[in-house]
Amino acid sequence: SAAGFHVLGACEHAPLVFLEVTPAELARLDLRPEVELLDLTGTDHGERLDVARGEVHANLLDSNGLGRGAGAKVAVVEPGQPCVNPFLQLSGVRLANNAFQSNTAYSSHTTGVAACIRSTHSTHSGVARDCNLYAANGATDFGGSFPNSTAAIGWAMNKGTHVLNLSYGAPTPTSSLTLFDRYLDHVVRDYALTVAVAAGNSGAFAGDPGAGFNVIAVGNFNDNGGTAWSFETMAATSSFQNPVTGVETLQVASPGTNVTMLGCVPAWTPPWLANYNANTMSGTSFASPIVAGEAAVLIG
């Protein structure tokens, strides 16, 4: 600001500043020795579309008394917030941020992701039913914005979360390591968080985010309605191609096809009219929170 640049905001947890600059100002910045990297933040990040609790043996925790993530803190970072639901208890919801306004609309996508982690419904049950779950409302709309994602992640980190789940990303990720990927690598390396990322549903590169060295990129396989592993097949849409960085993606795959979760009425409906009926969706968006839930179980 003192140098005359238009500062939009800064990240609390990483050496990252968001600026609006002219081409001439960009050239000036490039000459400054303290500037390590200049990158664009213009990539749109949209939702990625699922939980087979028995498939990952989370159901065994109930009968063996091994715990179900108690004490672990998990944050869902994505547009909107989960619908009010008696089977989905939240420990905190980010409603606004001083730098970037969050989206407070209710989202069926976010509800499904959150349900994969913590739903206490008898048949649509999450993997880590006893964890503390936070809704970070990570973007201004489903088009998304990287600055708002960093604000949401910073909010979640200030809550002391151990695990982040990101079930959204660029619709057609490239083979390169993007600014979003590098940012998440920094968060994991310097703050020891576990970050699960939906690898995407383009059937191509898993990235933006998901191509980083320190995150867990999660693919989607079809359990075909049963827990016998011999019947599983990878979903054709699940992204899998490796970036040019040498990172091998996917790191892991999880059930994500035709997963039935907690339902939600349209986002514009007031919360007191929330529908608790089941909602069935598919995609890496719902495979990823299963992995986040498993991490919470291990931490608990």
Side-chain angles (χ1 to χ4, degrees):
S1 296
F5 295 104
H6 181 202
V7 178
L8 298 176
C11 178
E12 180 181 352
H13 298 284
L16 189 63
V17 179
F18 299 101
L19 307 170
E20 249 181 25
V21 295
T22 65
E25 289 174 328
L26 194 64
R28 281 173 51 208
L29 276 173
D30 195 38
L31 296 174
R32 298 180 72 96
E34 69 271 31
V35 176
E36 179 181 344
L37 180 71
L38 297 171
D39 208 335
L40 294 173
T41 64
T43 302
D44 283 339
H45 295 85
E47 63 176 323
R48 292 173 174 167
L49 291 180
D50 167 349
V51 128
R53 193 163 174 266
E55 178 74 21
V56 299
H57 293 173
N59 59 316
L60 301 181
L61 300 174
D62 297 334
S63 57
N64 292 331
L66 297 177
R68 299 176 298 194
K73 296 182 177 181
V74 185
V76 173
V77 181
E78 68 172 89
Q81 63 176 302
C83 290
V84 174
N85 195 303
F87 304 108
L88 193 60
Q89 180 180 345
L90 299 175
S91 297
V93 178
R94 173 177 172 259
L95 296 178
N97 183 278
N98 291 333
F100 303 101
Q101 183 67 34
S102 68
N103 178 12
T104 57
Y106 294 97
S107 163
S108 59
H109 183 269
T110 311
T111 302
V113 170
C116 290
I117 299 170
R118 204 204 179 282
S119 168
T120 58
H121 193 280
S122 58
T123 56
H124 315 311
S125 179
V127 174
R129 299 177 54 166
D130 297 332
C131 75
N132 296 309
L133 186 64
Y134 296 83
N137 293 322
T140 53
D141 52 37
F142 280 112
S145 77
F146 175 53
N148 198 275
S149 295
T150 63
I153 291 170
W155 176 90
M157 292 169 69
N158 288 336
K159 296 295 183 182
T161 52
H162 307 104
V163 183
L164 303 177
N165 182 82
L166 281 71
S167 286
Y168 66 101
T172 53
T174 67
S175 62
S176 62
L177 195 69
T178 67
L179 180 60
F180 203 170
D181 292 317
R182 290 193 292 269
Y183 166 73
L184 291 178
D185 271 350
H186 176 91
V187 167
V188 177
R189 183 179 66 246
D190 288 0
Y191 296 95
L193 272 66
T194 297
V195 179
V197 177
N201 306 308
S202 66
F205 294 108
D208 198 14
F213 293 87
N214 298 335
V215 302
I216 303 172
V218 184
N220 160 25
F221 70 76
N222 187 350
D223 59 22
N224 291 296
T227 57
W229 288 4
S230 58
F231 295 110
E232 296 162 352
T233 55
M234 285 297 296
T237 57
S238 184
S239 299
F240 66 93
Q241 294 184 44
N242 294 328
V244 295
T245 57
V247 174
E248 293 280 340
T249 57
L250 309 158
Q251 280 83 29
V252 70
S254 186
T257 301
N258 295 326
V259 177
T260 301
M261 302 156 286
L262 297 180
C264 183
V265 292
W268 57 84
T269 305
W272 54 86
L273 297 178
N275 189 334
Y276 312 135
N277 293 335
N279 187 21
T280 301
M281 293 187 281
S282 298
T284 59
S285 278
F286 309 107
S288 181
I290 298 176
V291 173
E294 292 182 277
V297 167
L298 291 173
I299 291 169

